[in-house]
Amino acid sequence: DAKTTQPPSMDCAEGRAANLPCNHSTISGNEYVYWYRQIHSQGPQYIIHGLKNNETNEMASLIITEDRKSSTLILPHATLRDTAVYYCIVRVDTNAGKSTFGDGTTLTVKP
Amino acid sequence: DAGITQSPRHKVTETGTPVTLRCHQTENHRYMYWYRQDPGHGLRLIHYSYGVKDTDKGEVSDGYSVSRSKTEDFLLTLESATSSQTSVYFCAIRRELTGELFFGEGSRLTVL
């Protein structure tokens, strides 16, 4: 699975959009981009994933660049409860699809 | 929550003792995983399973063994616990159709 690079920390004002970047320059054509978040010491929570098209669900939007070497997770209206560690991972969506998590980005939403 | 239950949720043990953590799922998923997470770090894959009696190593498998004798249970065993295995352990299942992972609530293990 391709390696990802994320900034260690980011701040965002409550009510504003939070844009979390992820670099995955060695991604292969059959690897998906997944985003998870972990609040406090809870188990990580799935947010969204995509292959090459932009995706949106009730939690967030995922923008993947045309060359697929980077992506951005967008939380359109961040709340204090969105304060968490956000993980971007890439993996092949076949077989065991074992996922390797990096250190993620700690997002702090401030009032 | 994908019906994942981890037990025990908290355990304190002494160096050299065996420890078994259990992950139980109720939705019949094929793929199950064990991760560990240490303070300030992301999750590291210990072992995973792709079916009954089918398991493989992850990136930090030394000192750990696993077993999966039935679909719903994935056991992680520390044969002789060491202080370096003090950690929070997360079990996860993978939904085959969509690929996302769902995690249990974690088991906090302290080895004295």
Side-chain angles (χ1 to χ4, degrees):
Chain A
D1 296 336
K3 179 179 173 60
T4 62
T5 304
Q6 298 177 254
S9 64
M10 293 182 64
D11 291 340
C12 177
E14 187 178 19
R16 304 297 296 269
N19 297 278
L20 293 94
C22 180
N23 182 285
H24 32 79
S25 58
T26 61
I27 193 171
S28 301
N30 60 348
E31 288 184 309
Y32 287 72
V33 180
Y34 284 77
W35 283 84
Y36 293 82
R37 73 180 183 184
Q38 187 174 26
I39 298 173
H40 298 302
S41 56
Q42 299 175 18
Q45 174 191 22
Y46 165 80
I47 301 173
I48 198 167
H49 76 282
L51 183 62
K52 54 184 177 181
N53 297 320
N54 297 337
E55 302 288 344
T56 296
N57 62 20
E58 65 279 3
M59 291 182 67
S61 294
L62 174 61
I63 308 298
I64 303 174
T65 58
E66 191 169 344
D67 63 7
R68 301 205 330 117
K69 293 184 177 182
S70 65
S71 61
T72 301
L73 178 74
I74 300 173
L75 307 178
H77 304 288
T79 70
L80 299 179
R81 288 181 293 181
D82 291 321
T83 292
V85 179
Y86 288 78
Y87 297 99
C88 164
I89 63 172
V90 294
R91 67 168 179 78
V92 178
D93 194 29
T94 58
N95 298 324
K98 56 182 180 177
S99 301
T100 300
F101 287 72
D103 291 338
T105 295
T106 298
L107 174 69
T108 302
V109 180
K110 298 184 175 181
Chain B
D1 64 356
I4 304 170
T5 305
Q6 291 186 228
S7 60
R9 295 289 313 283
H10 300 273
K11 186 173 181 64
V12 179
T13 191
E14 294 186 349
T15 299
T17 60
V19 176
T20 295
L21 305 180
R22 179 184 183 231
C23 179
H24 179 78
Q25 58 138 332
T26 60
E27 297 186 351
N28 209 36
H29 295 287
R30 179 181 174 190
Y31 300 111
M32 298 184 75
Y33 306 81
W34 276 108
Y35 289 86
R36 64 175 287 176
Q37 185 172 37
D38 301 301
H41 294 283
L43 294 96
R44 292 183 290 172
L45 181 64
I46 306 171
H47 282 280
Y48 65 99
S49 171
Y50 46 97
V52 173
K53 298 185 179 179
D54 291 324
T55 65
D56 204 349
K57 296 178 180 180
E59 56 185 316
V60 290
S61 59
D62 287 348
Y64 302 94
S65 63
V66 290
S67 66
R68 191 159 177 211
S69 59
K70 46 186 178 178
T71 300
E72 58 265 36
D73 288 327
F74 191 31
L75 304 181
L76 177 70
T77 297
L78 292 66
E79 300 290 347
S80 178
T82 67
S83 58
S84 64
Q85 294 176 311
T86 292
S87 189
V88 180
Y89 292 86
F90 289 100
C91 172
I93 60 91
R94 175 177 168 246
R95 287 198 171 152
E96 289 188 53
L97 279 180
T98 50
E100 67 261 37
L101 300 175
F102 286 86
F103 288 81
E105 295 183 344
S107 294
R108 183 174 297 274
L109 175 67
T110 302
V111 184
L112 302 175

Coordinates of all heavy atoms in Angstrom, one line a residue, chain B residues 72-104:
Chain B
E72 N -16.9 -15.6 14.0 CA -17.2 -14.5 14.8 C -16.1 -14.1 15.8 O -16.2 -13.0 16.4 CB -18.5 -14.8 15.6 CG -18.5 -16.0 16.4 CD -19.1 -17.2 15.7 OE1 -18.9 -17.3 14.4 OE2 -19.8 -18.0 16.3
D73 N -15.2 -14.9 16.0 CA -14.1 -14.6 17.1 C -12.7 -14.6 16.5 O -12.3 -15.5 15.8 CB -14.2 -15.7 18.2 CG -15.4 -15.5 19.1 OD1 -15.9 -14.4 19.3 OD2 -15.9 -16.5 19.6
F74 N -12.0 -13.6 16.9 CA -10.6 -13.4 16.5 C -9.8 -13.1 17.8 O -10.1 -12.1 18.4 CB -10.5 -12.3 15.5 CG -9.1 -12.2 14.8 CD1 -8.4 -13.3 14.5 CD2 -8.7 -10.9 14.4 CE1 -7.2 -13.2 13.9 CE2 -7.5 -10.8 13.7 CZ -6.7 -11.9 13.5
L75 N -9.0 -14.0 18.2 CA -8.3 -13.9 19.4 C -6.8 -13.5 19.2 O -6.1 -14.0 18.3 CB -8.3 -15.3 20.1 CG -9.6 -15.9 20.4 CD1 -9.4 -17.3 21.1 CD2 -10.5 -15.0 21.2
L76 N -6.4 -12.6 20.1 CA -5.0 -12.1 20.1 C -4.3 -12.6 21.4 O -4.9 -12.3 22.4 CB -4.9 -10.6 20.0 CG -3.6 -10.0 20.0 CD1 -2.8 -10.3 18.7 CD2 -3.7 -8.4 20.2
T77 N -3.2 -13.3 21.2 CA -2.6 -13.8 22.4 C -1.1 -13.3 22.5 O -0.4 -13.3 21.5 CB -2.5 -15.4 22.4 OG1 -3.8 -15.9 22.4 CG2 -1.8 -15.9 23.6
L78 N -0.8 -12.9 23.7 CA 0.5 -12.5 24.1 C 1.0 -13.7 24.9 O 0.6 -13.9 26.1 CB 0.6 -11.2 24.9 CG 0.2 -9.9 24.2 CD1 -1.2 -9.8 23.8 CD2 0.6 -8.7 25.1
E79 N 1.9 -14.5 24.4 CA 2.3 -15.7 25.1 C 3.1 -15.4 26.4 O 2.9 -16.1 27.4 CB 3.3 -16.5 24.2 CG 2.6 -16.9 22.9 CD 1.5 -18.0 23.0 OE1 1.5 -18.6 24.2 OE2 0.8 -18.2 22.1
S80 N 3.8 -14.3 26.4 CA 4.6 -13.9 27.6 C 4.7 -12.4 27.6 O 5.6 -11.8 26.9 CB 6.0 -14.6 27.6 OG 6.7 -14.1 28.8
A81 N 3.8 -11.7 28.2 CA 3.6 -10.3 28.1 C 4.9 -9.5 28.6 O 5.5 -9.9 29.5 CB 2.4 -9.8 28.9
T82 N 5.2 -8.5 27.8 CA 6.3 -7.6 28.2 C 5.8 -6.2 28.4 O 4.8 -5.8 27.8 CB 7.4 -7.6 27.1 OG1 6.9 -7.0 25.9 CG2 7.9 -9.1 26.8
S83 N 6.6 -5.4 29.0 CA 6.2 -4.0 29.3 C 6.0 -3.2 28.0 O 5.2 -2.3 27.9 CB 7.2 -3.3 30.2 OG 8.4 -3.3 29.6
S84 N 6.7 -3.6 27.0 CA 6.6 -2.9 25.7 C 5.3 -3.2 25.0 O 5.0 -2.6 24.0 CB 7.8 -3.3 24.7 OG 7.7 -4.7 24.4
Q85 N 4.6 -4.2 25.5 CA 3.3 -4.5 24.9 C 2.1 -3.8 25.6 O 0.9 -4.0 25.3 CB 3.0 -6.0 24.9 CG 4.0 -6.7 24.0 CD 3.9 -8.2 24.1 OE1 3.9 -8.8 25.1 NE2 3.8 -8.9 22.9
T86 N 2.5 -2.9 26.6 CA 1.5 -2.0 27.2 C 1.0 -1.1 26.1 O 1.8 -0.4 25.4 CB 2.1 -1.2 28.3 OG1 2.4 -2.0 29.4 CG2 1.2 -0.1 28.8
S87 N -0.3 -1.1 25.8 CA -0.9 -0.4 24.7 C -2.4 -0.5 24.7 O -3.0 -1.1 25.6 CB -0.3 -1.0 23.4 OG -0.7 -0.3 22.3
V88 N -3.0 0.2 23.8 CA -4.4 0.0 23.5 C -4.6 -0.8 22.3 O -4.0 -0.5 21.2 CB -5.1 1.4 23.4 CG1 -6.6 1.1 23.1 CG2 -5.0 2.2 24.6
Y89 N -5.3 -1.9 22.3 CA -5.5 -2.8 21.2 C -6.9 -2.6 20.6 O -7.9 -2.6 21.3 CB -5.3 -4.2 21.7 CG -3.9 -4.5 22.1 CD1 -3.4 -4.2 23.4 CD2 -2.9 -5.0 21.2 CE1 -2.1 -4.4 23.7 CE2 -1.6 -5.2 21.5 CZ -1.2 -4.9 22.8 OH 0.1 -5.1 23.1
F90 N -6.9 -2.4 19.3 CA -8.2 -2.3 18.6 C -8.4 -3.4 17.6 O -7.5 -3.8 16.9 CB -8.2 -1.0 17.8 CG -8.3 0.3 18.7 CD1 -7.2 1.0 19.0 CD2 -9.6 0.7 19.2 CE1 -7.3 2.2 19.7 CE2 -9.7 1.8 19.9 CZ -8.6 2.6 20.2
C91 N -9.6 -3.9 17.7 CA -10.0 -4.9 16.7 C -10.8 -4.2 15.6 O -11.5 -3.2 15.9 CB -10.8 -6.0 17.4 SG -11.6 -7.2 16.3
A92 N -10.8 -4.7 14.4 CA -11.6 -4.1 13.3 C -12.1 -5.2 12.4 O -11.5 -6.3 12.3 CB -10.8 -3.1 12.6
I93 N -13.2 -4.9 11.8 CA -13.7 -5.8 10.7 C -13.8 -4.9 9.5 O -13.8 -3.7 9.5 CB -15.1 -6.3 11.0 CG1 -16.1 -5.2 11.2 CG2 -15.1 -7.2 12.2 CD1 -16.9 -4.8 10.0
R94 N -13.8 -5.6 8.3 CA -13.8 -4.9 7.1 C -15.1 -5.3 6.3 O -15.4 -6.5 6.2 CB -12.6 -5.2 6.2 CG -12.7 -4.6 4.8 CD -11.4 -4.9 4.0 NE -11.6 -4.6 2.6 CZ -11.5 -5.5 1.7 NH1 -11.4 -6.7 1.9 NH2 -11.7 -5.1 0.4
R95 N -15.9 -4.3 5.9 CA -17.1 -4.6 5.1 C -16.6 -4.9 3.7 O -16.1 -4.0 3.0 CB -18.1 -3.5 5.2 CG -18.7 -3.4 6.6 CD -20.0 -2.6 6.5 NE -20.7 -2.8 7.8 CZ -21.5 -1.9 8.3 NH1 -21.7 -0.8 7.7 NH2 -22.1 -2.1 9.5
E96 N -16.9 -6.1 3.2 CA -16.4 -6.5 1.9 C -16.9 -5.6 0.7 O -16.2 -5.3 -0.2 CB -16.7 -7.9 1.6 CG -15.9 -8.8 2.5 CD -16.0 -10.3 2.2 OE1 -15.8 -10.6 1.0 OE2 -16.4 -11.1 3.0
L97 N -18.2 -5.3 0.8 CA -18.7 -4.6 -0.4 C -18.2 -3.2 -0.5 O -17.9 -2.7 -1.6 CB -20.3 -4.5 -0.2 CG -21.0 -5.7 -0.6 CD1 -22.5 -5.5 -0.4 CD2 -20.8 -6.1 -2.1
T98 N -18.0 -2.5 0.6 CA -17.6 -1.1 0.5 C -16.1 -0.9 1.0 O -15.5 0.2 0.7 CB -18.5 -0.2 1.4 OG1 -18.6 -0.8 2.7 CG2 -19.8 -0.1 0.7
G99 N -15.5 -1.8 1.7 CA -14.1 -1.8 2.0 C -13.8 -1.0 3.3 O -12.6 -1.1 3.7
E100 N -14.7 -0.3 3.9 CA -14.3 0.4 5.1 C -14.1 -0.5 6.3 O -14.7 -1.6 6.4 CB -15.3 1.5 5.4 CG -16.7 1.1 5.9 CD -17.7 1.1 4.7 OE1 -17.3 0.8 3.6 OE2 -18.8 1.5 5.0
L101 N -13.3 0.0 7.2 CA -13.1 -0.7 8.5 C -14.0 -0.2 9.6 O -14.2 1.1 9.6 CB -11.6 -0.5 8.9 CG -10.5 -1.1 8.0 CD1 -9.2 -0.7 8.5 CD2 -10.7 -2.6 7.8
F102 N -14.5 -1.0 10.4 CA -15.2 -0.6 11.6 C -14.4 -1.2 12.8 O -14.1 -2.4 12.8 CB -16.6 -1.1 11.6 CG -17.5 -0.4 10.6 CD1 -17.5 -0.7 9.3 CD2 -18.2 0.7 11.0 CE1 -18.3 0.0 8.4 CE2 -19.0 1.5 10.1 CZ -19.0 1.1 8.8
F103 N -14.2 -0.3 13.8 CA -13.4 -0.7 14.9 C -14.2 -0.9 16.2 O -15.3 -0.3 16.4 CB -12.4 0.5 15.2 CG -11.3 0.6 14.2 CD1 -11.5 1.2 13.0 CD2 -10.1 0.0 14.4 CE1 -10.5 1.3 12.0 CE2 -9.0 0.1 13.5 CZ -9.3 0.8 12.3
G104 N -13.6 -1.8 17.0 CA -14.2 -1.9 18.4 C -13.8 -0.8 19.2 O -13.1 0.2 18.8

